[in-house]
Amino acid sequence: MEPVPSELREGEAEERATKTTRRETLETGSPPRRGPSPPLLILGLGLLVAFSLKKPLRPRLWSVEELALYNGTEEGLPILLGILGSVFDVTKGRSHYGPGGGYHHFAGRDASRAFVSGNFSGDGLTDSLHGLSSSEVNSVVDWRKFYNERYIFVGKLVGRYYDSQGNPTKYLKGVEAKAKRGAQLLEKQKIEEARIPSCNSRWSQQEGGKVWCDAGYPRLVKRPADIALTGKISQRCACFKEEELGRPGLEVYKECDYLSTSCKV
């Protein structure tokens, strides 16, 4: 048998393809599919990009300038805040951290000091804890713990608390050591004060203030641990037994009898 010329073989293949196309058109009522059209392809790519933007952020290093972009003013971006150099995604709290929210001043920055100072403007929105007491520093560390438990950790802010490699700085180590001392002193103070019960107290606009003891006599006593905790000495009202009233440092309320169980303040 003589071989079939290649031109004829190619012609037969084209004819078969044409018949197949016609058959599909007759059976389905529409031309065969030949892949997505350009508009559908563009739409698919757009959806893919949108999905990728909503994916959770992976922990990484942030610069101050980068963090500032995530302050809640861009609808498509998450809301981030920093505390002691740790960065958290607080988007789920948009009503609080977004524009108009009560905590919006924390968004897009590390304003660690403001968590205890209450100064939410100007120099108050800073990450410096210089001059704060050990008790106040401990409170800031507690706030960091709160965000670790409630929100998503997304990295570290390069600067005061972490270096360019993401390692803790001497400043952060000093802050954490001071907070630890503050926590220890606070616990010690609680144990000591539990031995001598505090006075009951009440205040009303009509009658003013009143302190009283269910057992014992009210006295003002200094809280020496406050020097280390807050930098100041404060007093509390405690109830002492009659045999304890001669202890040094106890102060009788003004215009209150020595053995009175209640005093106006």
Side-chain angles (χ1 to χ4, degrees):
M1 180 181 293
E2 295 182 2
V4 179
S6 61
E7 306 89 60
L8 292 178
R9 290 199 299 270
E10 293 172 0
E12 288 175 359
E14 291 177 1
E15 185 177 354
R16 290 195 195 98
T18 301
K19 288 180 179 179
T20 301
T21 301
R22 289 173 180 169
R23 191 182 305 114
E24 290 178 355
T25 302
L26 289 172
E27 292 174 354
T28 64
S30 59
R33 296 180 180 178
R34 300 184 183 277
S37 62
L40 289 175
L41 186 61
I42 293 172
L43 177 61
L45 288 172
L47 291 173
L48 181 62
V49 171
F51 175 76
S52 64
L53 286 175
K54 292 184 178 181
K55 289 175 64 177
L57 295 171
R58 293 183 178 180
R60 67 177 182 88
L61 297 179
W62 298 83
S63 68
V64 172
E65 293 76 17
E66 287 175 322
L67 184 60
L69 299 175
Y70 294 80
N71 64 356
T73 57
E74 280 292 336
E75 189 67 29
L77 294 178
I79 304 175
L80 308 181
L81 66 74
I83 178 168
L84 298 178
S86 293
V87 182
F88 297 94
D89 184 339
V90 296
T91 308
K92 70 177 183 179
R94 180 175 291 277
S95 60
H96 301 295
Y97 297 96
Y103 303 121
H104 178 57
H105 37 258
F106 289 118
R109 57 162 59 97
D110 185 332
S112 296
R113 190 184 192 88
F115 281 94
V116 294
S117 71
N119 183 355
F120 304 129
S121 61
D123 295 339
L125 294 172
T126 176
D127 61 351
S128 172
L129 304 187
H130 178 72
L132 294 184
S133 67
S134 59
S135 176
E136 291 170 324
V137 172
N138 184 51
S139 293
V140 179
V141 171
D142 282 344
W143 273 108
R144 182 182 62 180
K145 181 181 178 182
F146 166 83
Y147 283 99
N148 262 314
E149 294 173 347
R150 301 288 184 88
Y151 294 96
I152 302 171
F153 173 76
V154 294
K156 302 170 182 177
L157 182 63
V158 176
R160 190 182 300 274
Y161 296 100
Y162 292 97
D163 63 22
S164 59
Q165 303 301 313
N167 299 313
T169 61
K170 289 183 178 179
Y171 192 91
L172 177 57
K173 292 176 181 177
V175 163
E176 291 178 334
K178 189 172 185 177
K180 186 176 181 180
R181 289 195 302 272
Q184 291 171 342
L185 286 169
L186 189 60
E187 186 62 27
K188 182 180 178 181
Q189 179 172 277
K190 287 180 179 178
I191 293 172
E192 290 177 351
E193 293 185 356
R195 296 171 184 162
I196 304 175
S198 296
C199 304
N200 301 300
S201 62
R202 182 176 63 207
W203 184 90
S204 68
Q205 192 170 2
Q206 293 78 18
E207 300 179 3
K210 177 184 178 181
V211 294
W212 73 95
C213 294
D214 294 325
Y217 305 92
R219 292 292 186 272
L220 282 170
V221 58
K222 293 180 180 179
R223 309 173 81 181
D226 277 5
I227 299 175
L229 285 169
T230 66
K232 301 176 183 177
I233 297 180
S234 64
Q235 293 177 306
R236 75 178 182 108
C237 180
C239 297
F240 291 87
K241 298 176 182 178
E242 186 172 357
E243 60 268 25
E244 297 174 322
L245 297 181
R247 290 175 51 173
L250 301 187
E251 181 181 339
V252 181
Y253 278 91
K254 292 180 179 179
E255 300 180 5
C256 189
D257 293 337
Y258 186 80
L259 292 179
S260 176
T261 58
S262 66
C263 302
K264 289 186 177 181
V265 296

